[in-house]
Amino acid sequence: MRLMKKMLYTVMAAMTLFAVAACGGGSGSSGDSTQNSGTNDSTQSSGGSLSGVVIDGYWQGAEVFMDFNGNFEHDENEPLVTTDAYGQYRFENLDNDSFGHPVVAKGTAGDTYDDGLGQYLADNITMVSLDNGSMRVVSPFTSLHWYYMNNDNMTFEEARNKVIEEFGLPSHQAIFEDFVEKSYDNTSYQNMVNTSMRMGEYMGYYFSSDNSTTNMRQEMMNGFTYMHQNVGWDNFTDDSFAPGMGMMRDSYPINGMPGMGMGN
């Protein structure tokens, strides 16, 4: 039933966009990419709006905001919206300068529903996206893309290629696509969804366990460094770890790490 509703919602949205285009609407573009600012202007939205989707599975009830100062916390001057039942969000009345900034999504334990897991989040999870496309996907993969750009000083393209290589993703644009929607009839994308849910679950586990900092930006850096060095990206693609069952945290516990301890 949720799939049928999602498909109907998508068709209706497409019809609306067609009607707007017929009335003279359009989108501007620029061929340049700005390094380390998250811009990829070739598909930038126009008309002061930016829409997207938050994916681990689809997150319902997550807060999403434009992060103008890059601190991963919502500040008073930053636009804030909430995702719907299909993980979708939309910002309106944005000025041109807004599009070059990260989009941050915050899922709250007990309040944000993960449609992929069929349950509310067990831990608070923060994710980020630097892609400046007409539909801005926010997911564990886009968060890792951000990490490579900011921690390893990679360019936008280098970071994208690194994520694709690490996880064997099915297409060049996979991390910036609605890979949940593509997974309904594609095994490669279904594997990507399962990997995403394992990553999201462990990110929440790490964030709840890391008492070394209260700076969310630094915690994101710490988390991906830890996951890479102490868990290994290949284990997040291992189908023997069923998402949502706590199997990865049981196999790779964080207790005992210097400066860290369980927060819940």
Side-chain angles (χ1 to χ4, degrees), residues 6-69:
K6 175 69 166 55
M7 294 173 66
L8 178 61
Y9 186 94
T10 303
V11 171
M12 292 175 64
M15 292 174 65
T16 301
L17 290 174
F18 179 80
V20 170
C23 293
S27 61
S29 65
S30 169
D32 298 332
S33 296
T34 304
Q35 310 297 340
N36 291 346
S37 69
T39 59
N40 184 19
D41 295 337
S42 61
T43 55
Q44 177 172 306
S45 296
S46 67
S49 66
L50 179 68
S51 60
V53 61
V54 180
I55 304 174
D56 178 353
Y58 291 130
W59 276 9
Q60 177 182 353
E63 291 188 340
V64 185
F65 59 91
M66 304 292 298
D67 192 11
F68 293 156
N69 60 5

Side-chain angles (χ1 to χ4, degrees), residues 198-217:
R198 294 184 194 102
M199 290 177 67
E201 184 179 8
Y202 203 90
M203 287 168 68
Y205 172 45
Y206 181 91
F207 295 154
S208 71
S209 305
D210 184 2
N211 298 324
S212 66
T213 180
T214 58
N215 184 305
M216 191 62 237
R217 187 181 191 278

Side-chain angles (χ1 to χ4, degrees), residues 18 24 27-28 32 46 59 67 84 93 96 140 151 153 178 180 182 186 191 200 204 210-211 227 247 249 257:
F18 179 80
S27 61
D32 298 332
S46 67
W59 276 9
D67 192 11
D84 66 15
N93 302 316
N96 289 336
N151 187 72
N153 295 317
D178 183 347
V180 172
K182 287 180 173 288
N186 187 302
N191 292 336
D210 184 2
N211 298 324
M227 289 164 68
M247 297 174 68
R249 71 170 66 194
M257 294 300 295

Side-chain angles (χ1 to χ4, degrees), residues 41-145:
D41 295 337
S42 61
T43 55
Q44 177 172 306
S45 296
S46 67
S49 66
L50 179 68
S51 60
V53 61
V54 180
I55 304 174
D56 178 353
Y58 291 130
W59 276 9
Q60 177 182 353
E63 291 188 340
V64 185
F65 59 91
M66 304 292 298
D67 192 11
F68 293 156
N69 60 5
N71 67 351
F72 281 46
E73 300 292 345
H74 178 250
D75 298 305
E76 186 176 354
N77 65 324
E78 296 171 339
L80 174 70
V81 294
T82 304
T83 56
D84 66 15
Y86 309 105
Q88 297 177 343
Y89 66 88
R90 184 176 181 86
F91 295 108
E92 300 283 3
N93 302 316
L94 299 176
D95 58 39
N96 289 336
D97 293 336
S98 299
F99 294 99
H101 295 284
V103 170
V104 172
K106 285 185 174 288
T108 303
D111 290 333
T112 301
Y113 187 80
D114 188 328
D115 187 53
L117 298 177
Q119 62 190 39
Y120 287 93
L121 296 181
D123 298 300
N124 296 336
I125 306 175
T126 298
M127 303 191 297
V128 62
S129 177
L130 298 178
D131 179 48
N132 199 19
S134 57
M135 186 189 76
R136 186 84 68 94
V137 172
V138 188
S139 75
F141 295 113
T142 64
S143 302
L144 182 58
H145 175 263

Side-chain angles (χ1 to χ4, degrees), residues 178-239:
D178 183 347
F179 52 86
V180 172
E181 187 170 47
K182 287 180 173 288
S183 73
Y184 296 135
D185 58 359
N186 187 302
T187 301
S188 294
Y189 280 98
Q190 181 58 61
N191 292 336
M192 186 176 176
V193 172
N194 291 334
T195 298
S196 174
M197 289 191 292
R198 294 184 194 102
M199 290 177 67
E201 184 179 8
Y202 203 90
M203 287 168 68
Y205 172 45
Y206 181 91
F207 295 154
S208 71
S209 305
D210 184 2
N211 298 324
S212 66
T213 180
T214 58
N215 184 305
M216 191 62 237
R217 187 181 191 278
Q218 186 59 51
E219 194 165 33
M220 181 81 76
M221 289 281 201
N222 295 348
F224 280 121
T225 299
Y226 181 89
M227 289 164 68
H228 185 200
Q229 295 179 352
N230 295 278
V231 182
W233 299 133
D234 56 331
N235 286 310
F236 290 98
T237 66
D238 187 346
D239 287 337

Side-chain angles (χ1 to χ4, degrees), residues 40 131 145 156-165 168-177 182 189 192:
N40 184 19
D131 179 48
H145 175 263
F156 188 95
E157 293 294 333
E158 288 171 343
R160 174 170 61 181
N161 293 338
K162 181 69 171 178
V163 177
I164 292 170
E165 176 186 348
L169 301 184
S171 79
H172 185 61
Q173 285 291 340
I175 65 173
F176 303 124
E177 298 175 321
K182 287 180 173 288
Y189 280 98
M192 186 176 176

